[in-house]
Amino acid sequence: MSKETVLEVCNVFIKVFDHGELVRTELGHNVWTNTGREYSCLLKSYNTDGNPFRTDRIRYVGLGNGTQIESVSVNKLVSPIAYSQGGDYLKPINHNLTTFPDSGLRTAIRYTSRFGTSTFPGAGTTYISECGLFTDGHAVSFTQGGRETSIAVADEQSPVAYHTFDPIPKTSGIELEITWELRH
């Protein structure tokens, strides 16, 4: 008798729109980082006093213009970029768009985040070539809702999942839609 292997699988779907017209799509398989693997393990477990180890949940997408090998050892984006005038680096996922794509079963979930034409302040063209998925837990204590989202602390933020792709120019007419699908 053989054993069935159950793997946690993730995929990233990126749509690029130029003035409302779909001009590019990216489909990629990402890596669930050691941070994500630890998160998954601790989320499913109780500590010795009967309380969950972690109560934070997936909440943010961060973008950057660097690249690195998609490895479990990824612990930050190479070159994070702010998406707002206020210097925010982590953009909240639009949970109104969260779906469970498997008919009736909740063994997969899709998180979506949209970056509009007014996103990414500053002059010139910004290139985007990496993204990360983050929880709302504080980077050290994991306190739910404690995640710092400012570009000033971006190097201290470790993603649970990471993906890199060919550079996408982010100019004034470009919109991005990133959908992250987690399959269990």
Side-chain angles (χ1 to χ4, degrees), residues 7-74:
L7 299 174
E8 192 165 50
V9 179
C10 312
N11 291 288
V12 180
F13 307 94
I14 301 173
K15 293 180 184 177
V16 182
F17 299 88
D18 188 351
H19 294 93
E21 181 181 335
L22 181 64
V23 295
R24 179 173 165 186
T25 58
E26 293 280 334
L27 170 61
H29 183 75
N30 70 177
V31 64
W32 197 247
T33 66
N34 282 333
T35 299
R37 295 164 76 163
E38 177 185 60
Y39 167 71
S40 184
C41 182
L42 293 178
L43 187 65
K44 298 169 186 169
S45 305
Y46 290 103
N47 63 26
T48 57
D49 65 5
N51 291 314
F53 278 105
R54 291 186 69 158
T55 59
D56 53 329
R57 299 291 186 264
I58 293 173
R59 174 97 173 125
Y60 299 102
V61 171
L63 301 177
N65 58 10
T67 189
Q68 61 190 309
I69 294 173
E70 289 181 1
S71 161
V72 296
S73 63
V74 168

Side-chain angles (χ1 to χ4, degrees), residues 88-147:
D88 286 319
Y89 154 61
L90 296 178
K91 182 169 179 44
I93 291 167
N94 183 342
H95 285 295
N96 290 326
L97 301 174
T98 297
T99 62
F100 298 93
D102 292 340
S103 302
L105 295 175
R106 293 186 179 192
T107 58
I109 189 164
R110 288 183 183 162
Y111 300 108
T112 300
S113 190
R114 292 181 176 152
F115 297 82
T117 57
S118 62
T119 307
F120 308 107
T125 301
T126 299
Y127 287 90
I128 299 163
S129 55
E130 63 180 341
C131 56
L133 191 64
F134 299 82
T135 73
D136 65 348
H138 186 272
V140 177
S141 69
F142 312 129
T143 305
Q144 186 178 4
R147 175 74 63 176

